[in-house]
Amino acid sequence: RMGARALMTAMIITVMFGGVTLVLWLGAQDVIAGRMTPGSLLQFVLLSVFTAGAVGALGESWGDVQKAAGAMERIDELMRSEAAIRPPESPVVLPEPPTGEVSMSAIQFAYPGRPDLPALKGLSLTVRPGETVALVGPSGAGKSTVFRLLLRFYDPQAGVVSVDGVDVRAADPVAVRGRFAWVSQEAPLFSGSASENIRFGRELASDEEVRTAAEEAQALGFVEALPEGFDTPLGERGKSLSGGQRQRMAIARALVRDAPILLLDEATSALDAENERLVQAALDQAMQGRTTIVIAHRLATVLRADRIVVMEDGRVAQEGTHQSLMAQGGLYARLAELQFRAD
């Protein structure tokens, strides 16, 4: 395309100067012969310059059209692509009211880019309604993969993932994801207002619901202190907020969803003591009355859990309370010694 554009530019310059030169030469002949006045010659020269300028601008416009056409090809390819995760023709309706039960049975899963390296190897896990379960394990054990399968970002190669007793593959993915609220380690905030960032969790939430969610997430104080309160723009990626404030905004976004199942990817691991206290208070509020699965990096989180599931190499290695697992020894005792030593 650059070569074609360069060739067109060269042609336009040649035509422009050639045209103006030709008009001047022919006009000069006519003026000498008395067939044209000098004023008419000047008119023709000006018109030829204007025409040449318009043709030059047309060349630039053609280059922009070519660039736009290339971009549209990529956009069209994206628009025509079909998601691998699609609802079935007759989706099973999830039960109402939701109970918040999660079950994974004999899950075998490898990521599409690494089919020879399974992330989960026969994992089975059941979380009862209202229960808080902590997932603990070394890096690469498959803890985050559990969350991705529950949210149905991927489907397992074998085994069944079910929510409220329904196989997620038989249900509408939108309905399945509507049962979950997810708080990750890095809160992805946007450049809109505080209110818009919280409403990203549920677009139709009322002002009162947004305010209540912010209050429960321990975020109401700093949001009201902003120059325009809930209407204050937060800047790109929420850059005007501190790390702890961003996390509390993310928790408010999760709370406003009012989902029965809460997924927490240890939201306090990178915070100082004061912010951790506030965020933990917000999480305690969020966990009340909800089924909670948390990837735990802190002892305080583990001690709050009803049950601890220790994962190793894509499997459940141990299961129980902190005290019972410490008494058993093994992997959990080693992890507790290494990971929770600072606590």
Side-chain angles (χ1 to χ4, degrees):
R1 287 215 175 103
M2 290 301 293
R5 194 167 180 180
L7 181 62
M8 179 166 280
T9 303
M11 286 174 61
I12 287 167
I13 290 171
T14 304
V15 169
M16 280 176 62
F17 284 101
V20 172
T21 304
L22 181 63
V23 167
L24 273 172
W25 186 76
L26 292 174
Q29 296 294 322
D30 287 344
V31 169
I32 292 168
R35 293 190 296 272
M36 180 186 288
T37 63
S40 297
L41 174 60
L42 182 60
Q43 278 183 310
F44 274 106
V45 170
L46 287 173
L47 286 171
S48 65
V49 169
F50 292 154
T51 304
V55 172
L58 184 64
E60 284 296 313
S61 299
W62 180 248
D64 292 337
V65 167
Q66 290 290 92
K67 282 196 290 185
M72 280 305 298
E73 281 179 23
R74 292 192 290 274
I75 292 170
D76 184 59
E77 185 180 331
L78 183 64
M79 294 293 286
R80 287 176 183 274
S81 64
E82 293 186 3
I85 306 297
R86 293 194 297 272
E89 290 184 11
S90 302
V92 175
V93 178
L94 293 174
E96 290 289 349
T99 58
E101 183 180 11
V102 171
S103 176
M104 304 180 82
S105 176
I107 298 296
Q108 295 277 353
F109 174 72
Y111 285 99
R114 307 175 75 178
D116 57 329
L117 193 66
L120 297 178
K121 305 170 184 176
L123 179 130
S124 293
L125 172 68
T126 299
V127 184
R128 295 179 290 275
E131 187 180 23
T132 298
V133 170
L135 300 182
V136 176
S139 179
K143 304 185 295 294
S144 297
T145 303
V146 169
F147 281 15
R148 290 172 188 141
L149 292 182
L150 289 176
L151 291 163
R152 212 183 166 203
F153 294 160
Y154 302 94
D155 280 333
Q157 281 83 36
V160 176
V161 178
S162 63
V163 174
D164 288 348
V166 176
D167 185 340
V168 295
R169 285 172 294 195
D172 187 338
V174 175
V176 170
R177 291 164 190 158
R179 295 280 158 116
F180 293 94
W182 184 18
V183 182
S184 62
Q185 277 184 310
E186 293 186 10
L189 298 185
F190 310 113
S191 60
S193 66
S195 174
E196 288 169 338
N197 269 281
I198 294 174
R199 275 200 178 89
F200 183 71
R202 181 160 59 90
E203 193 176 355
L204 300 178
S206 66
D207 290 344
E208 187 58 37
E209 287 171 325
V210 168
R211 185 182 178 84
T212 301
E215 186 174 12
E216 290 179 356
Q218 311 289 317
L220 187 60
F222 76 80
V223 171
E224 288 190 327
L226 294 171
E228 298 169 52
F230 279 91
D231 296 324
T232 306
L234 299 182
E236 191 68 32
R237 298 180 65 84
K239 64 182 178 183
S240 62
L241 302 181
S242 69
Q245 289 171 338
R246 283 198 294 271
Q247 282 293 10
R248 281 176 275 161
M249 286 292 289
I251 294 167
R253 179 189 289 170
L255 287 172
V256 86
R257 286 178 67 79
D258 199 25
I261 306 166
L262 187 61
L263 303 179
L264 302 176
D265 191 351
E266 188 59 283
T268 63
S269 58
L271 303 178
D272 58 64
E274 175 62 19
N275 271 312
E276 182 182 350
R277 184 184 64 80
L278 289 167
V279 171
Q280 192 61 61
L283 290 174
D284 290 343
Q285 180 79 33
M287 290 158 68
Q288 287 181 14
R290 289 182 172 88
T291 304
T292 305
I293 306 174
V294 54
I295 295 174
H297 299 298
R298 295 291 182 96
L299 181 61
T301 308
V302 168
L303 294 175
R304 281 178 171 83
D306 300 314
R307 184 158 49 103
I308 300 162
V309 173
V310 186
M311 294 182 64
E312 183 181 27
D313 195 27
R315 299 183 181 89
V316 174
Q318 290 177 291
E319 204 170 329
T321 62
H322 176 70
Q323 287 76 14
S324 66
L325 290 171
M326 287 298 288
Q328 284 179 33
L331 175 62
Y332 181 79
R334 292 200 308 275
L335 283 170
E337 174 65 23
L338 294 169
Q339 198 163 330
F340 306 143
R341 184 183 291 162
D343 295 317

